Structure formats: structure tokens, C-alpha cells
Amino acid sequence: MATPRGESSKTTAAASKNDDVEAIRRNRVLSSKLYLDVLPSKVPLIYSSSYDIAFMGIEKLHPFDSSKWGRICRFLIAEGFVDKKRIVEPLEARKDDLLVVHLESYLNSLKSSLNVSMIIEVPPVALLPNCLVEKHVLSPFRKQVGGTILAAKLAKERGWAINVGGGFHHCSADKGGGFCAYADISLCIHFAFIQLNISRAMIIDLDAHQGNGHEKDFSSDRRVYILDMYNPDIYPFDYEARRYINQKVEVASGTATNEYLAKLDQALEVAAGTFDPELIVYNAGTDILDGDPLGRLKISPDGISTRDEKVFRFAHERNIPLVMLTSGGYMKSSARVIADSIINLSNKSLINMESTTGKI
């Protein structure tokens, strides 16, 4: 049956518009400065002191520990695990970088302190001049976005990279929430598709909360496979986004370490037989820790180390570059747990902290 002329014209116009969008996205990615050339003496551990959010104590009004990122690095440095000079500092994502995924209308909405206060769930921020919100909240987030994007380049070059920050998995192209103002995971993958000649990516999201942001962004993109293991009894209750998860593993409140790790083993086995990625983005939230007030799971600190080890081993055995993001975690103990897990990965030879020149 012939296609009616009107419908054919609409289809052609839609395809042309999509091509235009992709061309603009490609140009933005190729003109970005975020893919730094990193010296061989550096290790693929990404952090900046600009990550940490601190302003007049307002950061203490949210349960998230916004000094977590700096404390992770201080633990690693104090243990003699890494020299401060060998940590990679990223650039801050600019507006053109963010427009690779985000709608301009969404970015403009962040010029309202009220909107930002709702996204980061700290009501008093609504009363601050937007210039202060920009400097003390949004700029640190954009620096972390730069770190997540750069991590994919480093992972392709070195086999792995850890951004000691990022993992803003509740933010999508047109909506923020849950302390997530920018969609760093979606941005990271789109940059990798264009800059690294990657055509298949897997998101392994093991934060306690559902990663509804990236799920919406990649809802119709078959190049991205999403394994999301989350507690369905907590925020964000995004039932629409759940339809876009390729492999959904729900873990109920109170789930303990052994049961959790057994479910993870099964999930990774299924993922291995279903999808063959060229990049893995691992969202390694520690809000699954026993005692976390928001995650409501009961995973031990050693269980976190074992979880991370399983994911890194999964990538290592298949020679797939892996990006790790620290994401959520609402206990002061999270920083120590993450640092211990990174040290364990090195002890198990799953990450190499030697410089590529052989010199430390």
C-alpha cells in the first residue's frame, strides 16, 4: 500500500530535523575542551576541590554529605595510596557542553534559585541571590560533570577511570531532581559515542535509588543497555522510567548483603549474555549501606567492596573500559567505605595505580 503523500512528507521532515539535532550535537562535542590530554604520570582518578559544596552551612540541610568527595581523596592520600599531584583535575562543563543533552529551556530554569532549591531539596536556597547559587552549588556540579565526561576518555585509554563524584542519575535532559541538576551520565555516553567511536554502552546503576534520569534520556536508544538494581520502595517512584530499564532488579527494603550480592551475580550473568558493550558506566552509590536513612538496605562495608569488585571484574574479564561514579550515599561513613573499596580494587589488581610511564 502506498504511503499517503502528507504522511511521507511528515516522516521526511522529522528525519531531517533529527539529522539537524544530531549534527548540532556532534559539533558541540567536537568543539568541547572537556577531553583533556592527561599526562602519563597521572592516574585515572578524577577529582577537584571545587567538587565540594559548602556555603554558610546550608549544605548541612540536606542528608547528602556534600564534603564526601574531598574526604574520599584525603583518605586515599593519607593511606599513601595516591599522591595528590597524580590526581586528574577536570574542566568545568560549559553551556555548550551541557546542551549536548539538556534543553536550553531547562538550563535557563536554573537561573531561578527557587527551581534549584527544589532540585537539590534545600528550601532555604530559594532565598539566595542566583549568583550565589550559581557559584556555590551549580558550578561545583558542573565541575563534576566535566569529570564524568573526561572519565570515559581516560577509561578508553587506561581501561578504567573513577570520577570521585558525579552519578547524578535522577536528572534528565529536561528535568532535575533528587540533588541532581545535570545529567552527567547521559552526557558522558553521548560524548563517548562521538569522540571515542563507541556505538554500544552499558549503564550498571547500583545506587539504592532508581536511575530515572538516564532511563528517560535513553528510552528509545538501543545503543544503551541499562541494568538498574534499586529499592522500589523509595524515591523517585518513577513508574514511566521503569518501563525503559532493559534489566530491572528490584531489592526490597531490608535486603542484606548475601542476598544482594547473589542477585548481583545473577544480574551480571544475564547482562553478559544479552549485551556486548564497548563502555560501561558504573553508578556506584553507597546509599545501599546498612544504616543509610534513605536507601533502607542492609549492605555491609565489606559488601560494598565486594560489589565494586564484582563489577570491575565483570568489565576486566571482558576487556571493557569502565567508568565508576560515586553517586549517592547519606552517611558520614560513606567516604571511608569508598576509599577502602578503591584500595581493595587495587589490591585485587583490578585497577592499576602505576603511571603509564612506570614512574610514580
Side-chain angles (χ1 to χ4, degrees), residues 38-39 41 51 56 63 68 91 127 141 155-156 159 163 168 213 230 276 290 325 332 337:
V38 175
L39 292 172
S41 58
Y51 281 16
M56 295 173 59
K68 173 177 81 171
L91 295 175
L127 304 175
F141 281 152
K156 184 77 183 293
N163 182 20
F168 305 132
Y230 64 94
D276 181 25
D290 188 8
L325 311 171
K332 287 290 184 184
V337 170

Side-chain angles (χ1 to χ4, degrees), residues 168-223:
F168 305 132
H169 64 158
H170 296 308
C171 189
S172 63
D174 62 354
K175 186 178 182 182
F179 207 72
C180 302
Y182 300 111
D184 66 322
I185 293 174
S186 303
L187 284 159
C188 172
I189 290 172
H190 277 294
F191 268 72
F193 282 155
I194 294 167
Q195 283 275 31
L196 303 180
N197 198 28
I198 280 169
S199 59
R200 299 181 308 280
M202 177 183 287
I203 299 170
I204 299 178
D205 196 335
L206 302 187
D207 187 276
H209 299 83
Q210 175 199 348
N212 58 322
H214 57 71
E215 286 156 10
K216 288 179 177 175
D217 285 341
F218 294 115
S219 60
S220 57
D221 195 331
R222 294 186 178 181
R223 298 173 298 173

Side-chain angles (χ1 to χ4, degrees), residues 3 49 57 65 100 120 149 151 154 233 289 297:
T3 304
S49 58
D65 176 14
V100 168
I120 67 170
I149 291 170
L154 279 174
D233 305 323
L289 266 173
L297 300 174

Side-chain angles (χ1 to χ4, degrees), residues 8 27 30 36-37 48 70 96 104 117 130 134 186-187 199 231 247 265 287 302 325 329 353-354:
S8 177
N27 287 338
L30 293 176
L36 300 171
D37 287 326
S48 167
D96 262 10
E104 187 154 14
S117 74
N130 193 252
E134 173 72 22
S186 303
L187 284 159
S199 59
N231 183 348
Q247 191 178 339
D265 282 337
D287 48 5
D302 284 346
L325 311 171
M353 295 298 291
E354 299 290 328

